[in-house]
Each structure stands twice: as structure tokens, then as C-alpha cells.
Amino acid sequence: MRGIRWFLHLLWKSLSIRISRIVIATLAIMIGTALITAMFGLSMGMMEKLEERLRAYGANLLIVPKSVHLNTGIGNLNFGLVEEHLYFSEEDMEILGSLSDWVVDYAHSLWSTAKIGSEEVDVVGIYFPQMRKMSEWWKVGGRWPARPHEALFGRKLMDSLGLRLGQDIELSKEGGKLPLKIVGRLETGGSEEDRIYLSMEDLQRFLNMPGKINSVLVRASTHGHSLEEVARRIESAIPGAEVEEVRQVVYGEEVLLRKVRWLMSFVTIAVLGCAGIGVASTMGITVLERRGEIGLLRALGGTRCIIGALFLSEALMMGMFGGILGYVAGILIIQAIAKDVFDSLIPIPAILPFLSMGAGMVIALIASLGPVRTAWGVTPAITLRGE
Amino acid sequence: MFFRILRRSFHYRRKSMALIILSVTMGASIASSLLTIALEVSDKVAKELRNYGANILIEPEEVNDYLHEGDLLKIKTIFWRHNIVNFAPYLSGVVTVWKGKDAQKAVLTGTWFGKMIDIPGQDEPLKAGTCCISPWWKVKGRWIQDGEEGVAMVGSALASRLGLEVGDEIKVVHDGHAEVFRTAGIVTTGGLEEGQVFVNLCVAQRLMNLSGRISRVLVSAVTVPMDGFARRNPRTMTPKELERWYCTPYVTSVAKQLEGVFRGGKARPIWQIAESEGKILSQFRLSIALFTIVVLFASCMAVSTTMISNVLERRDEIGLMKALGADSLQIVSLFLSEALFFGLVGGVIGYFMGIVVVHHIGLIIFGTALESKDTLLIITMCSSLLVTLTGSLVPVRRALGMKSDLMLRGRI
């Protein structure tokens, strides 16, 4: 008990009397931790932004009724719709809204065929705002449809049928007729250019299928879980649904994210190494300056154990304070940069403060190991004589 | 005398000297390897993004026309030929696919499966075709080989409708011509390919009686992000602007050049791929620049603290020198020449270590080595000298300002 009190007294005196040295060492730890914190924050922010940008590639999952294979996707050939009359009702899909951790975005569509004159064409009913968000790469000449009976026509289809922007045409199917106005010319470079996109309400009324859809494009988040998990989850939540991966999007994303993660971990290690060197040098000085003190301690009967404990607990205290200060400084750095670069603040994960504090303490401890060894090597008689 | 002190100081303090050199070396190698990465990585990531597939599609201008297979080799003669990563021709037609007594209408597509193409001026032949341009295909069974006849790959949707398994035989009928294929692989993509049958291009040409014809070409090219300038209509540009546009690998200008080599062809960017790629690349460049700044700062800090502590450790030495009558210039030049030595040795070793590190990182992450630029040696050397010299100078000057007797008694 006395021993512990004496030790604490020693620790307190050593910290309070040598305040300027302590401040310098703590500062070094703080800069190191600030760099590490900034690094972690930045790489998290970057991964998040990268994933957000990857969303620009569009849907990575496709929900269709079981055993129906619709010709959606990114391929470049259109071979007509395989008609099997299986549909979802839109209420089935409401569950997607509650899976917001998994599903970033989704877009309903209803696929069918109809005739313009004698020509059979693919028509797709969509909600324009949904689709516009999902498929950012769509280039629309003219404007997006805003009112009923307005439609987007694919570029190829317009070319082959000789249609013009602004023209009024009539879709027909099994006796029913639907007048449409071409307000937009859709250019994507893909199979979308062969189709007509009209508003969901128009098509459902035209086909006499209120509330029915037959596929949903889903942009699922791969943050923290695999895409297969998301697919299984959706399949189990929606009866009769089959979830397919859009391999083109999924594959590219997997490869890219994996490589960027590797790169980030290298950069993080580099920063950790640098911060470590900086702190170790500073800690080294503090021991060298105190050779006399250590010699006295040893001459008075201090064991290696006590000297080691004294240094390490000093290091721990400095690591903790430096870590906390470094965390604050790091966060300030990140947010200052993030505002300019990512044009938004990076959400700070709850674990980051602890991570920074831990990093500060670990660095301080490791950096003191060398100095402690030096301290153990101090020979009391010689040091006290001042040699 | 000066050199003797210098030599002695290296001789007696070998261990701490080694430590200083080690930390300067590490700082320099980290800085130089990160600079290399920052300079090279955008190109590498641009290549990685090609995993998303083709970004340019060439089709006949007229609806029921075809392109010439012979024009394909001219792709590698365009101005931006080195940016063309891969390409694949396709010939498609509607056929009836029979399995036993079941029949399904489907699309038969002939394409290349890793055809080796010699490129003038390049040692390695290019392996062109679907397998390289669409690496995301999931194949049960195996890929067809280039030129292999009597085998086909079947899309999974079609396969499930016909109840096909790998190894089953199918009969494909087009316009009275029939041919029998064994199913080599079943393809899952989540896209349109799932409803098709794939064979070698020459087989499809024979079956459809369209020798030497193709119906479209997919090209995968490394491009730069579209900026405001690129979005302008080339027709409204002045000759000088047009030249700049033509000589920048925008997806639109590469497409324009490709169009030039295909008779009766029209080349268009596949916007889903081309647009998104640009966004990701610009984001990536920004972030990497940021990381480089953070790391450079960290390595500067590491090296300068080492240098500072080196001087602080030896303050009694400085005091002794002063007491023995050395003037400030002598002391400063002594420490600076030490710092010069650390900077030079650490910088050179660090630079070469950086090359090795970066080489391996390139191999591990991207599969190809990252090459360091020679100018980087000069940059690394200069910055490591700058950091070591200033790192020493500042504390030495402070030490010089102190009273030597106090320093000698160890009071400060």
C-alpha cells in the first residue's frame, strides 16, 4: 500500500515538475495521433464516397418474379420479351423501404409489348423520378416526361421508325389504344435505346393492371455485408421473388473496392510508421535527460520494475492526453478538408475516438520501450558522478 | 580538427547514428513510394475500371446492314490505339434452338474467345474477345476456346427453359441451315446474355451465311473523364479546339476515331460505363492527392523530430565546444554537415527502398509493377536534405543561445 502511494507520488512529481518536457512529448503524440485520425477518417470518407460514386453504375440487383426471365440489364441485344404472366403487386415491394440499411435505391418497372402501327415495340412503365435517380447516365434530348401521356423514346427506336421529338403517336394492344407524345429522346448506348419509357400509371391503366409491376431494379449497399446476403434477405422478404445479380456492375465494383482497400491500408501503415518514429524520438530525449534522476532512483533502491512502471505509466498518461487532443485536431483537419474535397462532412464513426486514444497510447508505449531499456542500463554510481 | 570531430562523432555514436539514418531512410522511402503511387495510380485505377466492360459500341449506320470483319484490325492503327484495352466483334441472329423435341427461339451470337492478335510495334499479341472484355461472366462448365467448333455456351435463362446441362447437345436452326453443338458452359450475367447462345464468330458466320460480316463491335478503351470542354459539340469548335479535343482521349473523341476505321459504322459511348468511370476517377485523384499530403507531412515530421532529438541529446557537447572556444559558425557547420550526411545517405537508400516497395505494392494490388520516375530521385533527395538540415539548424541555434556553463552542469 505504501509502495503504491509512493509510486503515485513519484509519478505526480515527475509529471508536474517537468511540465515543459511533458508538454513537448504530449505534443508529439498529439501530432502523430492527429495524423492517424485524419488518415482513418479520410480513408473511411473516401471509401464511402467511392461507394457513392459507384452507385452511378446503376442497379446491382434485379428482382423478378420466380422463373421469369425478362430482358432487362445492360447487354446490348434485344430479342423481344419472353412473356410469362407473372407479376408483383406494388404493395409487395413496400418492404424494400424498410430495408434501408441494405437497399440504397430502387426503381419499379412494368414490362410489356405494344404496337405502333404494325411494328411491335417494347414498352416499359417506370416512375420517372425513381429511374432518373437510379440511372444517372441516361442522356435525354428534349425533356423528361412530367405529365400523363408523355413518353421517352429510345434513340434507335426513333431512328428506325423515323419518329421526331414532339410527335404524337398511338400505342395499340389487343384493341386498346394509348395516345403518347414524344417529349424526350433517350440516349444510353445500351439496350434502353430500343424501348419506350412511359409513366407507370399510364401503362398500368393501358394494360388494365392497376398496381402491378414485374421487375424492380435495386441498388444494394455492400457496406459491411455481401451482396448475396442482401439478395437472400430480399428473397425471403418478398414472396415469389427471385433476386439476380447484375454481374457486370457487381464484378467491377468488387475488384475496384478490394484494390482501393489494399492501397488505403498501405498508406495507413505508412502514416502509422512515421508517427511512431516521431514519437519514439521525442520519448528518447526525455529518458536521456533524466539519466541523473534514474541513477538516483536506482541508488535509493528503485528496482527495474519500478523504473519501468514509472516510465510506462508516464507514457500511458501522455499517450492518453495526446490521443484525445490528437483526435480533436484530427477531426478538425478531416472536416476542414472534407468540406472542400467531398463537399460534405464525413460522418465520424463512434469507434474513432477510442481508436485514436488507443493508437496514441500504443504508440507512446511502444516508443518508450527503447528508452526504458536505456534507463535500465543506467549505472547509478557513474551517472551520479555526472559522466 | 573539424573532420576529426566529425569522424569521432560518427565513430563513437554508431548506434544512434544508425537509428537516425534508419528513420531518415524510412521517411524518405515512405514519401517517395507514396509520390510514385500518387502519380501512377490513376492510370492503374482507370485500367481497373475497364473491368466494368466495354465503353464504346460500334454499330452499322443503317438498320439492316453489317460491318466488315476486316476493319477490326484497323482499330489498332488509330491515334489512341494504346488506350484500346480490348475489343470484341459480335454477329447475332435469331435462331431456333432444339433440345430433343423442345424448341425455343433465341439469339445466336458469334464472337471471339481470346483470339491472339499481333499488333504492329508491340511484342506481345493482344488477347481479344468476349472473355477479356466481359470478365464478369459467371460460367458453369468452361469457356469455349478460340476457333473451337461444335461447342457453344448457353445463357442460363435459355438453359433453364430448355432444361439444359453442361455437356448436353443442342441443334441450332437458322433459315434452313442446322448445326449441332455440345454445351460447353452455362453463362450467368444478370443481363441480356442469359437468353443467348454463344459460338465462335466463324461458326456463326457460316451458319447465317454472312462470311466476313459482323453486326457490332464492343471496345474497351482507357479514357479521361468528360469535362466541360468535352461536352461541347465538336462541330462548333475552332480548328485549334478541335485539335485539342481530338488529341485528348475523351470517350467521345476515341469513339469518333474508331468510327473512321469502320466502313458504314457509327461509334457511340456506352454512357452507363463511360459516365460513371469519369466520376469515379476524378474522385479518386482528389482523394489520393489528399493522402499524399498527409503522408508527406507525417514523414517530414518523423524525420525532423529525429533530427531535433539528435541535437537536443548532444547539448552538453555543444556547451563543451563553446566553453573550449568554438565559435557558432564552427558548431553550426559541424551539425549541418552531419545532417547533410544523414540527408544524403537516408535519401538515397530511402529512394531505392521506395522503388522496391512500390514495385511490390503494384504487383500485389494491380498485378503490374508501378514504375518510379527518375525525377523523383531528385525530389526525394532535395526534400530529405531540406528536412534534415532545417531539423538540425533550428535546435542548434537555440542551443547556441544558451549559457554554456549551465548546459555543462546539466541544468537545462
Side-chain angles (χ1 to χ4, degrees), chain A residues 170-244:
Chain A
E170 203 170 51
L171 279 184
S172 61
K173 180 169 185 150
E174 291 155 10
K177 292 217 185 303
L178 180 70
L180 284 179
K181 187 181 177 67
I182 308 177
V183 296
R185 174 186 159 98
L186 177 64
E187 205 169 316
T188 66
S191 52
E192 297 89 351
E193 294 189 353
D194 293 307
R195 305 181 187 135
I196 299 173
Y197 288 89
L198 60 158
S199 80
M200 184 68 89
E201 294 86 358
D202 283 349
L203 190 65
Q204 283 174 345
R205 206 173 314 121
F206 177 51
L207 298 175
N208 199 14
M209 283 193 290
K212 296 285 180 196
I213 52 171
N214 54 11
S215 79
V216 182
L217 287 168
V218 176
R219 177 74 209 180
S221 151
T222 48
H223 208 79
H225 33 73
S226 76
L227 201 62
E228 268 125 73
E229 275 176 75
V230 186
R232 297 294 83 79
R233 183 73 209 276
I234 296 176
E235 266 179 6
S236 66
I238 301 170
E242 188 173 326
V243 181
E244 284 185 44

Coordinates of all heavy atoms in Angstrom, one line a residue, chain A residues 170-244:
Chain A
E170 N -49.6 6.7 -81.4 CA -50.6 5.9 -80.7 C -50.1 4.5 -80.5 O -49.7 3.9 -81.5 CB -51.9 5.9 -81.5 CG -53.1 5.7 -80.6 CD -54.4 5.9 -81.4 OE1 -54.5 5.3 -82.5 OE2 -55.3 6.6 -80.9
L171 N -50.1 4.1 -79.2 CA -49.8 2.7 -79.0 C -51.0 1.9 -79.0 O -52.1 2.3 -78.6 CB -49.2 2.5 -77.5 CG -47.7 2.9 -77.3 CD1 -47.4 2.5 -75.8 CD2 -46.8 2.1 -78.2
S172 N -50.9 0.7 -79.6 CA -52.1 -0.2 -79.5 C -51.8 -1.6 -79.0 O -50.7 -2.1 -79.2 CB -52.7 -0.3 -80.9 OG -51.8 -0.8 -81.8
K173 N -52.8 -2.2 -78.4 CA -52.6 -3.5 -77.9 C -53.9 -4.2 -77.7 O -54.7 -3.6 -76.9 CB -51.7 -3.6 -76.6 CG -51.5 -5.0 -76.1 CD -50.5 -5.0 -75.0 CE -50.2 -6.5 -74.7 NZ -48.9 -6.7 -74.2
E174 N -54.2 -5.3 -78.4 CA -55.4 -6.0 -78.2 C -56.6 -5.1 -78.1 O -57.4 -5.1 -77.2 CB -55.4 -6.9 -76.9 CG -54.4 -8.0 -77.0 CD -53.8 -8.4 -75.7 OE1 -54.4 -8.0 -74.6 OE2 -52.9 -9.2 -75.6
G175 N -56.7 -4.2 -79.1 CA -57.9 -3.3 -79.2 C -57.8 -2.0 -78.4 O -58.3 -1.0 -78.8
G176 N -57.0 -2.1 -77.3 CA -56.8 -0.8 -76.5 C -55.9 0.2 -77.2 O -55.0 -0.2 -78.0
K177 N -56.1 1.4 -77.0 CA -55.3 2.4 -77.6 C -54.7 3.4 -76.5 O -55.4 3.7 -75.6 CB -56.1 3.2 -78.6 CG -56.4 2.4 -79.9 CD -56.4 3.2 -81.1 CE -56.9 2.4 -82.3 NZ -56.1 1.2 -82.5
L178 N -53.5 3.9 -76.7 CA -52.9 4.8 -75.8 C -52.2 5.9 -76.6 O -51.2 5.7 -77.2 CB -51.9 4.1 -74.8 CG -51.2 5.0 -73.8 CD1 -52.2 5.5 -72.7 CD2 -50.1 4.3 -73.2
P179 N -52.7 7.1 -76.6 CA -52.0 8.2 -77.2 C -50.8 8.7 -76.4 O -50.9 8.8 -75.2 CB -53.1 9.3 -77.3 CG -54.0 9.1 -76.2 CD -54.0 7.6 -75.9
L180 N -49.7 8.9 -77.1 CA -48.5 9.3 -76.4 C -47.8 10.5 -77.2 O -47.9 10.6 -78.4 CB -47.4 8.2 -76.4 CG -47.7 7.1 -75.4 CD1 -46.5 6.1 -75.5 CD2 -47.7 7.6 -74.0
K181 N -47.2 11.4 -76.4 CA -46.4 12.5 -77.0 C -44.9 12.2 -76.7 O -44.6 11.9 -75.6 CB -46.9 13.8 -76.4 CG -46.3 15.0 -77.1 CD -46.8 16.3 -76.3 CE -46.2 17.5 -76.9 NZ -46.7 17.8 -78.3
I182 N -44.1 12.2 -77.8 CA -42.7 12.0 -77.6 C -42.0 13.3 -77.1 O -41.9 14.2 -77.8 CB -42.0 11.6 -78.9 CG1 -42.7 10.4 -79.5 CG2 -40.5 11.2 -78.6 CD1 -42.2 10.0 -80.8
V183 N -41.7 13.3 -75.8 CA -41.1 14.6 -75.2 C -39.6 14.5 -75.0 O -38.9 15.4 -74.9 CB -41.8 15.0 -73.9 CG1 -43.2 15.4 -74.1 CG2 -41.6 14.0 -72.9
G184 N -39.1 13.2 -75.0 CA -37.7 13.0 -74.8 C -37.1 11.9 -75.6 O -37.8 10.9 -75.9
R185 N -35.8 12.1 -76.0 CA -35.1 11.1 -76.9 C -34.0 10.6 -76.0 O -33.2 11.3 -75.5 CB -34.6 11.8 -78.1 CG -33.7 11.0 -79.0 CD -33.1 12.0 -80.0 NE -31.9 11.5 -80.7 CZ -32.0 10.9 -81.8 NH1 -33.1 10.7 -82.5 NH2 -30.8 10.4 -82.4
L186 N -34.1 9.3 -75.7 CA -33.2 8.7 -74.7 C -31.9 8.1 -75.4 O -32.0 7.3 -76.3 CB -33.9 7.6 -74.0 CG -33.1 6.8 -73.0 CD1 -32.7 7.7 -71.8 CD2 -34.0 5.6 -72.4
E187 N -30.8 8.5 -74.9 CA -29.5 8.0 -75.4 C -28.7 7.4 -74.2 O -28.5 8.1 -73.2 CB -28.7 9.2 -76.0 CG -27.8 8.7 -77.1 CD -27.2 9.9 -77.8 OE1 -28.0 10.8 -78.2 OE2 -26.0 9.9 -78.1
T188 N -28.4 6.1 -74.4 CA -27.6 5.5 -73.3 C -26.4 4.7 -73.9 O -25.5 4.4 -73.2 CB -28.4 4.5 -72.5 OG1 -28.8 3.4 -73.4 CG2 -29.7 5.1 -71.9
G189 N -26.5 4.3 -75.2 CA -25.5 3.4 -75.8 C -25.8 2.0 -75.5 O -25.1 1.1 -75.9
G190 N -26.9 1.7 -74.8 CA -27.3 0.3 -74.4 C -28.6 -0.1 -75.0 O -29.2 0.6 -75.8
S191 N -29.2 -1.2 -74.4 CA -30.4 -1.7 -75.0 C -31.6 -0.8 -74.7 O -32.7 -1.0 -75.3 CB -30.6 -3.1 -74.4 OG -30.5 -3.1 -73.0
E192 N -31.4 0.1 -73.8 CA -32.5 1.1 -73.5 C -33.0 1.9 -74.7 O -34.1 2.4 -74.7 CB -32.1 2.0 -72.3 CG -31.8 1.4 -71.0 CD -30.3 1.0 -70.9 OE1 -29.6 1.1 -71.9 OE2 -29.9 0.6 -69.8
E193 N -32.1 2.0 -75.6 CA -32.4 2.8 -76.8 C -33.4 2.2 -77.7 O -33.8 2.8 -78.7 CB -31.1 3.1 -77.6 CG -30.1 3.9 -76.8 CD -28.9 4.3 -77.7 OE1 -28.8 3.9 -78.8 OE2 -28.1 5.2 -77.2
D194 N -33.8 0.9 -77.5 CA -34.8 0.3 -78.3 C -36.2 0.4 -77.7 O -37.1 -0.2 -78.2 CB -34.4 -1.2 -78.5 CG -33.1 -1.4 -79.3 OD1 -33.1 -0.8 -80.4 OD2 -32.2 -2.0 -78.8
R195 N -36.3 1.0 -76.6 CA -37.6 0.9 -75.8 C -38.3 2.2 -75.7 O -37.7 3.3 -75.9 CB -37.3 0.4 -74.4 CG -36.5 -0.9 -74.5 CD -36.3 -1.4 -73.1 NE -35.4 -2.6 -73.1 CZ -34.4 -2.8 -72.4 NH1 -34.1 -2.0 -71.4 NH2 -33.7 -3.9 -72.5
I196 N -39.6 2.1 -75.3 CA -40.3 3.3 -75.0 C -40.5 3.3 -73.5 O -40.9 2.3 -72.9 CB -41.7 3.2 -75.7 CG1 -41.6 3.2 -77.2 CG2 -42.6 4.4 -75.2 CD1 -42.9 3.0 -77.9
Y197 N -40.2 4.4 -72.8 CA -40.5 4.5 -71.4 C -41.6 5.5 -71.2 O -41.6 6.6 -71.6 CB -39.2 5.0 -70.7 CG -38.1 4.0 -70.6 CD1 -37.2 3.8 -71.7 CD2 -38.1 3.1 -69.5 CE1 -36.2 2.8 -71.6 CE2 -37.1 2.1 -69.5 CZ -36.2 2.0 -70.5 OH -35.2 1.0 -70.5
L198 N -42.6 5.0 -70.5 CA -43.7 5.9 -70.2 C -44.1 5.8 -68.7 O -43.5 4.9 -68.0 CB -44.9 5.6 -71.1 CG -45.6 4.2 -71.0 CD1 -47.0 4.3 -71.5 CD2 -44.8 3.2 -71.9
S199 N -45.0 6.6 -68.2 CA -45.2 6.6 -66.8 C -46.0 5.4 -66.4 O -46.8 4.8 -67.1 CB -45.9 7.9 -66.4 OG -47.3 7.7 -66.6
M200 N -45.6 4.9 -65.2 CA -46.2 3.7 -64.7 C -47.8 3.7 -64.7 O -48.4 2.8 -65.1 CB -45.7 3.5 -63.2 CG -46.1 2.2 -62.6 SD -45.4 0.8 -63.4 CE -43.9 0.6 -62.4
E201 N -48.3 4.9 -64.3 CA -49.8 5.0 -64.2 C -50.4 4.7 -65.6 O -51.4 4.0 -65.7 CB -50.2 6.3 -63.7 CG -49.9 6.6 -62.2 CD -48.4 7.1 -62.1 OE1 -47.8 7.3 -63.1 OE2 -48.0 7.4 -60.9
D202 N -49.8 5.4 -66.6 CA -50.3 5.3 -68.0 C -50.3 3.8 -68.4 O -51.3 3.3 -68.9 CB -49.4 6.0 -69.0 CG -49.7 7.5 -68.9 OD1 -50.7 7.9 -68.2 OD2 -48.9 8.3 -69.5
L203 N -49.2 3.1 -68.2 CA -49.1 1.8 -68.7 C -50.0 0.8 -67.9 O -50.7 0.0 -68.5 CB -47.6 1.3 -68.6 CG -47.4 0.0 -69.4 CD1 -47.6 0.1 -70.8 CD2 -46.0 -0.6 -69.1
Q204 N -50.1 1.0 -66.6 CA -51.0 0.1 -65.8 C -52.4 0.3 -66.2 O -53.1 -0.7 -66.4 CB -50.8 0.4 -64.3 CG -49.5 -0.1 -63.7 CD -49.3 0.3 -62.3 OE1 -49.9 1.2 -61.8 NE2 -48.4 -0.4 -61.6
R205 N -52.8 1.5 -66.5 CA -54.2 1.7 -67.0 C -54.4 1.1 -68.3 O -55.4 0.5 -68.6 CB -54.5 3.2 -67.0 CG -56.0 3.5 -66.8 CD -56.3 5.0 -66.6 NE -55.4 5.7 -65.7 CZ -54.6 6.7 -66.0 NH1 -54.6 7.2 -67.2 NH2 -53.8 7.2 -65.1
F206 N -53.4 1.3 -69.2 CA -53.5 0.8 -70.6 C -53.6 -0.7 -70.6 O -54.4 -1.3 -71.3 CB -52.2 1.3 -71.3 CG -52.1 0.8 -72.7 CD1 -53.1 0.9 -73.6 CD2 -50.9 0.2 -73.2 CE1 -53.0 0.5 -75.0 CE2 -50.8 -0.2 -74.5 CZ -51.9 -0.1 -75.4
L207 N -52.8 -1.4 -69.7 CA -52.8 -2.8 -69.7 C -53.9 -3.4 -68.8 O -54.1 -4.6 -68.7 CB -51.4 -3.4 -69.2 CG -50.2 -3.0 -70.1 CD1 -49.0 -3.5 -69.4 CD2 -50.3 -3.6 -71.5
N208 N -54.6 -2.4 -68.1 CA -55.6 -2.8 -67.2 C -55.0 -3.7 -66.1 O -55.6 -4.7 -65.7 CB -56.8 -3.5 -67.9 CG -58.0 -3.5 -67.0 OD1 -58.1 -2.7 -66.1 ND2 -59.0 -4.3 -67.4
M209 N -53.9 -3.2 -65.5 CA -53.3 -4.0 -64.4 C -52.9 -3.0 -63.3 O -51.7 -2.7 -63.1 CB -52.0 -4.7 -65.0 CG -52.4 -5.9 -65.7 SD -50.9 -6.9 -66.0 CE -50.0 -6.0 -67.1
P210 N -53.9 -2.4 -62.6 CA -53.5 -1.4 -61.6 C -52.7 -2.0 -60.5 O -52.9 -3.1 -60.1 CB -54.9 -1.0 -61.1 CG -55.8 -2.1 -61.5 CD -55.3 -2.7 -62.7
G211 N -51.6 -1.3 -60.1 CA -50.8 -1.7 -59.0 C -49.8 -2.9 -59.3 O -49.2 -3.5 -58.4
K212 N -49.7 -3.3 -60.6 CA -48.9 -4.5 -60.9 C -47.6 -4.0 -61.5 O -47.5 -3.1 -62.3 CB -49.6 -5.4 -61.9 CG -50.9 -6.0 -61.4 CD -50.6 -7.1 -60.4 CE -51.9 -7.7 -59.9 NZ -51.6 -8.5 -58.7
I213 N -46.5 -4.7 -61.1 CA -45.2 -4.5 -61.8 C -44.6 -5.8 -62.0 O -45.0 -6.8 -61.4 CB -44.3 -3.6 -60.9 CG1 -44.2 -4.2 -59.5 CG2 -44.7 -2.2 -60.8 CD1 -43.1 -3.6 -58.6
N214 N -43.6 -5.9 -62.8 CA -42.9 -7.2 -63.0 C -41.4 -7.2 -62.9 O -40.8 -8.2 -63.1 CB -43.4 -8.0 -64.2 CG -43.2 -7.1 -65.5 OD1 -42.6 -6.1 -65.4 ND2 -43.7 -7.6 -66.6
S215 N -40.8 -6.1 -62.5 CA -39.4 -6.2 -62.1 C -39.0 -4.9 -61.3 O -39.6 -3.9 -61.4 CB -38.5 -6.3 -63.3 OG -38.2 -5.1 -63.9
V216 N -38.0 -5.1 -60.4 CA -37.6 -4.0 -59.6 C -36.0 -3.9 -59.7 O -35.4 -5.0 -59.5 CB -38.0 -4.1 -58.1 CG1 -37.5 -2.9 -57.4 CG2 -39.4 -4.3 -58.0
L217 N -35.5 -2.8 -60.1 CA -34.1 -2.6 -60.1 C -33.7 -2.1 -58.7 O -34.3 -1.2 -58.1 CB -33.7 -1.5 -61.1 CG -33.7 -1.9 -62.6 CD1 -33.6 -0.7 -63.4 CD2 -32.7 -3.0 -62.9
V218 N -32.6 -2.8 -58.1 CA -32.2 -2.4 -56.8 C -30.8 -2.1 -56.7 O -29.9 -2.7 -57.3 CB -32.5 -3.6 -55.8 CG1 -32.0 -3.2 -54.4 CG2 -33.9 -3.9 -55.8
R219 N -30.5 -0.9 -56.1 CA -29.1 -0.6 -55.8 C -28.9 -1.0 -54.3 O -29.4 -0.3 -53.5 CB -28.8 0.9 -56.1 CG -27.4 1.3 -55.7 CD -26.4 0.8 -56.7 NE -25.1 0.7 -56.1 CZ -24.0 0.3 -56.7 NH1 -24.0 0.0 -58.0 NH2 -22.9 0.1 -56.1
A220 N -28.1 -2.1 -54.1 CA -27.9 -2.5 -52.7 C -26.6 -2.0 -52.2 O -25.6 -1.9 -53.0 CB -28.0 -4.0 -52.7
S221 N -26.5 -1.8 -50.9 CA -25.3 -1.3 -50.4 C -24.4 -2.6 -50.0 O -25.0 -3.6 -49.5 CB -25.5 -0.5 -49.1 OG -24.5 -0.7 -48.2
T222 N -23.2 -2.5 -50.3 CA -22.3 -3.7 -49.9 C -21.5 -3.3 -48.7 O -20.5 -3.9 -48.4 CB -21.4 -4.1 -51.1 OG1 -20.8 -2.9 -51.6 CG2 -22.2 -4.7 -52.2
H223 N -21.9 -2.3 -48.0 CA -21.2 -1.9 -46.8 C -21.4 -2.8 -45.7 O -22.5 -2.8 -45.1 CB -21.7 -0.5 -46.4 CG -20.6 0.4 -45.8 ND1 -19.7 1.0 -46.5 CD2 -20.4 0.6 -44.5 CE1 -18.9 1.6 -45.6 NE2 -19.3 1.4 -44.4
G224 N -20.4 -3.6 -45.4 CA -20.5 -4.5 -44.2 C -21.2 -5.8 -44.4 O -21.3 -6.6 -43.5
H225 N -21.7 -6.0 -45.6 CA -22.3 -7.4 -45.8 C -22.1 -7.7 -47.3 O -22.0 -6.8 -48.1 CB -23.7 -7.5 -45.4 CG -24.5 -6.2 -45.6 ND1 -24.9 -5.7 -46.8 CD2 -24.9 -5.3 -44.7 CE1 -25.5 -4.6 -46.7 NE2 -25.5 -4.2 -45.4
S226 N -22.2 -9.0 -47.6 CA -22.0 -9.3 -49.0 C -23.3 -9.1 -49.8 O -24.4 -9.1 -49.2 CB -21.6 -10.8 -49.2 OG -22.7 -11.6 -48.9
L227 N -23.2 -9.0 -51.1 CA -24.3 -8.8 -51.9 C -25.3 -10.0 -51.9 O -26.5 -9.8 -52.0 CB -23.9 -8.5 -53.4 CG -24.9 -7.8 -54.2 CD1 -25.2 -6.4 -53.6 CD2 -24.4 -7.7 -55.6
E228 N -24.7 -11.2 -51.8 CA -25.5 -12.4 -51.7 C -26.4 -12.3 -50.5 O -27.6 -12.7 -50.6 CB -24.6 -13.6 -51.6 CG -24.3 -14.2 -53.0 CD -22.8 -14.4 -53.2 OE1 -22.3 -15.3 -52.6 OE2 -22.3 -13.6 -54.0
E229 N -25.9 -11.9 -49.4 CA -26.7 -11.8 -48.2 C -27.9 -10.9 -48.4 O -29.1 -11.2 -48.1 CB -25.9 -11.1 -47.0 CG -25.1 -12.0 -46.2 CD -24.3 -11.2 -45.2 OE1 -24.9 -10.8 -44.2 OE2 -23.1 -11.0 -45.4
V230 N -27.7 -9.7 -49.1 CA -28.8 -8.8 -49.4 C -29.8 -9.5 -50.3 O -31.0 -9.4 -50.1 CB -28.2 -7.5 -50.1 CG1 -29.3 -6.5 -50.3 CG2 -27.1 -6.9 -49.3
A231 N -29.3 -10.2 -51.3 CA -30.1 -10.9 -52.2 C -31.0 -11.9 -51.5 O -32.2 -11.9 -51.7 CB -29.3 -11.6 -53.3
R232 N -30.4 -12.7 -50.6 CA -31.2 -13.7 -49.9 C -32.2 -13.0 -49.0 O -33.3 -13.5 -48.9 CB -30.3 -14.6 -49.0 CG -29.2 -15.4 -49.7 CD -29.8 -16.5 -50.6 NE -30.3 -16.1 -51.9 CZ -29.4 -15.9 -52.9 NH1 -28.1 -16.1 -52.8 NH2 -29.9 -15.4 -54.1
R233 N -31.8 -11.9 -48.4 CA -32.7 -11.2 -47.5 C -33.9 -10.7 -48.2 O -35.0 -10.9 -47.7 CB -31.9 -10.0 -46.9 CG -32.6 -9.2 -45.9 CD -32.7 -10.0 -44.6 NE -33.9 -9.6 -43.9 CZ -34.0 -8.5 -43.1 NH1 -32.9 -7.8 -42.9 NH2 -35.1 -8.2 -42.4
I234 N -33.7 -10.2 -49.4 CA -34.8 -9.7 -50.2 C -35.7 -10.8 -50.6 O -36.9 -10.7 -50.6 CB -34.3 -8.8 -51.4 CG1 -33.6 -7.6 -50.9 CG2 -35.5 -8.5 -52.3 CD1 -33.0 -6.8 -52.1
E235 N -35.1 -11.9 -51.0 CA -35.8 -13.1 -51.5 C -36.7 -13.6 -50.4 O -37.9 -13.9 -50.6 CB -34.9 -14.2 -52.0 CG -34.7 -14.1 -53.5 CD -33.7 -15.2 -54.0 OE1 -33.3 -16.1 -53.2 OE2 -33.4 -15.1 -55.1
S236 N -36.2 -13.6 -49.1 CA -37.0 -14.1 -48.1 C -38.1 -13.1 -47.6 O -39.1 -13.5 -47.1 CB -36.1 -14.5 -46.9 OG -35.6 -13.3 -46.3
A237 N -37.9 -11.8 -47.9 CA -38.9 -10.8 -47.5 C -40.0 -10.7 -48.5 O -41.1 -10.3 -48.1 CB -38.2 -9.5 -47.3
I238 N -39.8 -11.0 -49.8 CA -40.8 -10.8 -50.8 C -41.2 -12.2 -51.3 O -40.4 -12.9 -51.9 CB -40.3 -9.9 -51.9 CG1 -39.9 -8.6 -51.3 CG2 -41.4 -9.8 -53.0 CD1 -39.2 -7.7 -52.3
P239 N -42.5 -12.6 -51.1 CA -42.9 -13.9 -51.6 C -42.8 -14.0 -53.1 O -43.2 -13.1 -53.8 CB -44.3 -14.1 -51.1 CG -44.7 -12.6 -50.8 CD -43.5 -11.9 -50.5
G240 N -42.3 -15.1 -53.6 CA -42.3 -15.3 -55.1 C -41.3 -14.5 -55.8 O -41.4 -14.4 -57.1
A241 N -40.3 -14.0 -55.1 CA -39.3 -13.1 -55.8 C -38.0 -13.9 -56.0 O -37.6 -14.7 -55.2 CB -39.0 -11.9 -55.0
E242 N -37.4 -13.6 -57.1 CA -36.1 -14.1 -57.4 C -35.2 -12.9 -57.6 O -35.5 -12.0 -58.3 CB -36.1 -15.0 -58.6 CG -34.8 -15.7 -58.9 CD -34.9 -16.7 -60.0 OE1 -36.0 -17.3 -60.3 OE2 -33.9 -16.8 -60.7
V243 N -34.0 -12.9 -56.9 CA -33.1 -11.8 -57.0 C -31.9 -12.2 -57.8 O -31.2 -13.2 -57.4 CB -32.7 -11.3 -55.6 CG1 -31.8 -10.1 -55.7 CG2 -34.0 -10.9 -54.8
E244 N -31.6 -11.5 -58.8 CA -30.4 -11.8 -59.7 C -29.4 -10.7 -59.5 O -29.7 -9.5 -59.4 CB -30.8 -11.9 -61.1 CG -31.5 -13.1 -61.5 CD -31.8 -13.2 -63.0 OE1 -30.9 -12.9 -63.8 OE2 -32.9 -13.6 -63.4

